[in-house]
Amino acid sequence: MITVLFFGPVAERMETGRIEVEHVAGMRLADLRSTLAARHPEAFEIVSLAAVNGEHVRNMDVPLGDGSEVVFMSKFSGG
Amino acid sequence: MITVLFFGPVAERMETGRIEVEHVAGMRLADLRSTLAARHPEAFEIVSLAAVNGEHVRNMDVPLGDGSEVVFMSKFSGG
Amino acid sequence: MSEPVRLQFEDFSQDEEISALQAASTRMGGIATFLGCARDFSQGRSVHEIGFEAYERMALPELVKLRDEAITRFGLIDARIVHRLGTVRAGDRIVFIATGAEHRAPALEACRWLIDELKERVPIWKKEITPEGDSWVTPHP
Amino acid sequence: MSEPVRLQFEDFSQDEEISALQAASTRMGGIATFLGCARDFSQGRSVHEIGFEAYERMALPELVKLRDEAITRFGLIDARIVHRLGTVRAGDRIVFIATGAEHRAPALEACRWLIDELKERVPIWKKEITPEGDSWVTPHP
């Protein structure tokens, strides 16, 4: 399983802060993103950053291990 | 009479914070300064600013009225 | 003594943060701070409250890293960063940064750098709660 | 409420100064402060105390003028300046500047500008009291 978290405006548009996605061998971050973006375009139109296991990831080709925690995030607005 | 005030390092070298000087008709700030500097060269070597009646004065040719308060100051070191 | 970097729901005291900062060294000659407060007005609308949400697993390490970077980059003696979560009301404290150095220039520059970087790099999101409803602040992606 | 610009012998509280600043408006989103403290070490010598003397007739109006200029120049909502006189010990507060604006940039820039200008323009002198004796700090004239 992969845990996908959402916060703030993305969570609002997803109508949830957390979903679980079946892990598939060879799965990359880009695959997960396109699957979810196709189902939730209004949430993913504001996604501009991703993190895997608490680290920023810029390369969308990284493979996702089973049990990963992935976050798709909109631009930060703290401070 | 003209009241001349000194502060901080200038007062220390003058060994006083205040002297009174007889007012002379037509007296300019430059005159007062050169009279005092001749008597107290060690104090006036660190003087870099003057004020008359609480205002900075850059033009040393200003005439001094009777009753003026004059301050000869070294560079500030507050803050 | 409280941690120098914190994400917390409760309010805090500036005087206590400054005292904790000063405790690091009596060679500290300059302390700069920045305090961000909730405004009651934003982009033409009145705002009653502001809500904050963070991805804490990433936000806290990122704040710790920011502090370490600032200390090295500007030669600070110490620095502290506190950011509140949950709901705050107009006028309440949101974020506090304090930087201490031997002289004033590095303290002032580091403080400016920290608040600018925090806004760019720390996963925290803000929701404005207005009489017309709530809305998340979304800078252009 | 205390005056926004003061020369005083007593210590002060940063929290109280900030509260007084914030009282000006709930549109204040950014507050920057600078606190100058007495260091126990200066140019290779240990310093136990620092003494301050001001030409008050000129220093106070100059501080008031500085505050007014900063408010106009940076579009601040409010600003406060406190400078202590007399003798302070290592670690003690000497000077405090607080600037409040709707957004962070003007508050931070004004704070920096105020402390730089204060040092140039306000007739206050500092004496370092060390185990080897006292000496007035004399920047090159």
Side-chain angles (χ1 to χ4, degrees):
Chain A
M1 279 303 205
I2 288 176
T3 303
V4 189
L5 303 179
F6 308 103
F7 294 94
V10 181
E12 183 180 56
R13 290 175 183 213
M14 288 295 296
E15 294 175 338
T16 181
R18 177 194 181 104
I19 60 173
E20 302 278 323
V21 173
E22 198 70 45
H23 180 258
V24 179
M27 192 178 190
R28 295 170 309 133
L29 181 58
D31 303 328
L32 179 63
R33 185 186 159 126
S34 35
T35 309
L36 293 174
R39 270 186 246 155
H40 306 279
E42 69 301 335
F44 275 73
E45 82 183 16
I46 58 167
V47 165
S48 57
L49 297 149
V52 177
N53 299 325
E55 299 284 345
H56 268 297
V57 173
R58 285 209 176 69
N59 173 13
M60 295 298 285
D61 288 332
V62 289
L64 295 177
D66 197 6
S68 295
E69 178 178 282
V70 176
V71 192
F72 292 109
M73 302 178 285
S74 62
K75 229 182 148 197
F76 311 144
S77 54
Chain B
M1 279 302 207
I2 289 177
T3 303
V4 188
L5 303 180
F6 308 102
F7 295 94
V10 182
E12 183 180 56
R13 292 175 182 212
M14 287 295 297
E15 294 175 335
T16 181
R18 176 195 182 102
I19 59 173
E20 304 276 325
V21 174
E22 197 72 43
H23 180 257
V24 179
M27 192 178 191
R28 296 169 312 133
L29 182 57
D31 302 327
L32 178 63
R33 187 190 156 122
S34 35
T35 309
L36 292 175
R39 269 187 249 157
H40 307 279
E42 69 300 336
F44 276 73
E45 82 186 14
I46 59 167
V47 165
S48 58
L49 297 148
V52 177
N53 298 324
E55 301 283 345
H56 268 297
V57 174
R58 285 208 176 69
N59 174 12
M60 296 296 286
D61 287 331
V62 289
L64 295 176
D66 197 7
S68 296
E69 179 179 282
V70 176
V71 192
F72 292 109
M73 302 177 285
S74 62
K75 230 185 146 195
F76 311 144
S77 55
Chain C
M1 177 105 48
S2 59
E3 290 293 319
V5 175
R6 306 193 310 276
L7 282 170
Q8 64 183 45
F9 287 84
E10 321 80 68
D11 195 12
F12 53 87
S13 149
Q14 292 214 126
D15 279 353
E16 282 170 26
E17 295 300 322
I18 299 288
S19 300
L21 186 86
Q22 281 191 292
S25 165
T26 46
R27 294 204 182 179
M28 206 177 273
I31 295 173
T33 76
F34 177 76
L35 174 67
C37 300
R39 300 165 61 215
D40 65 355
F41 207 78
S42 171
Q43 300 175 325
R45 298 173 318 157
S46 64
V47 174
H48 289 190
E49 293 182 325
I50 301 183
F52 289 93
E53 192 176 34
Y55 176 29
E56 293 193 49
R57 177 182 176 171
M58 196 169 139
L60 194 61
E62 194 67 40
L63 286 171
V64 169
K65 211 191 299 173
L66 273 180
R67 171 175 174 272
D68 292 345
E69 274 184 52
I71 288 173
T72 307
R73 190 177 180 125
F74 297 94
L76 301 179
I77 296 170
D78 199 5
R80 298 178 77 84
I81 310 175
V82 185
H83 198 299
R84 287 179 67 193
L85 298 178
T87 304
V88 305
R89 285 183 298 185
D92 283 358
R93 282 177 268 272
I94 295 168
V95 59
F96 179 70
I97 289 170
T99 52
E102 288 199 32
H103 298 287
R104 72 187 189 281
L108 289 158
E109 284 157 20
C111 186
R112 174 76 191 249
W113 183 84
L114 276 168
I115 183 64
D116 288 350
E117 291 291 309
L118 182 151
K119 289 185 175 256
E120 286 295 316
R121 289 166 49 176
V122 182
I124 301 178
W125 295 270
K126 177 191 307 195
K127 176 165 67 175
E128 291 176 346
I129 298 161
T130 77
E132 298 82 40
D134 301 359
S135 65
W136 287 97
V137 174
T138 47
H140 291 286
Chain D
M1 176 105 51
S2 60
E3 289 294 321
V5 176
R6 308 194 306 278
L7 282 169
Q8 64 183 44
F9 287 85
E10 322 81 67
D11 195 13
F12 53 87
S13 149
Q14 292 214 126
D15 280 353
E16 282 170 26
E17 296 300 322
I18 300 289
S19 300
L21 187 84
Q22 281 192 291
S25 164
T26 47
R27 295 204 181 179
M28 206 177 275
I31 294 173
T33 75
F34 176 76
L35 174 67
C37 300
R39 300 165 62 217
D40 65 357
F41 207 78
S42 171
Q43 300 174 326
R45 299 173 316 157
S46 64
V47 174
H48 289 191
E49 293 182 323
I50 300 182
F52 289 93
E53 190 175 36
Y55 176 29
E56 293 194 49
R57 177 182 177 174
M58 197 169 138
L60 194 61
E62 195 66 41
L63 287 170
V64 169
K65 212 192 296 174
L66 273 181
R67 172 176 174 270
D68 292 346
E69 274 184 52
I71 289 173
T72 308
R73 192 175 177 126
F74 297 94
L76 302 179
I77 296 171
D78 200 5
R80 299 178 78 83
I81 310 174
V82 185
H83 198 299
R84 287 178 67 192
L85 298 178
T87 304
V88 305
R89 284 183 300 185
D92 283 357
R93 283 177 266 271
I94 295 167
V95 59
F96 179 71
I97 288 170
T99 52
E102 289 200 30
H103 299 286
R104 73 185 186 283
L108 289 158
E109 285 157 21
C111 186
R112 173 76 191 248
W113 182 84
L114 276 168
I115 184 63
D116 289 348
E117 291 290 310
L118 182 151
K119 287 183 176 258
E120 286 295 315
R121 288 166 49 175
V122 182
I124 301 177
W125 296 268
K126 176 190 309 193
K127 177 165 64 175
E128 292 177 344
I129 298 160
T130 78
E132 296 82 42
D134 302 358
S135 67
W136 288 98
V137 174
T138 46
H140 290 287

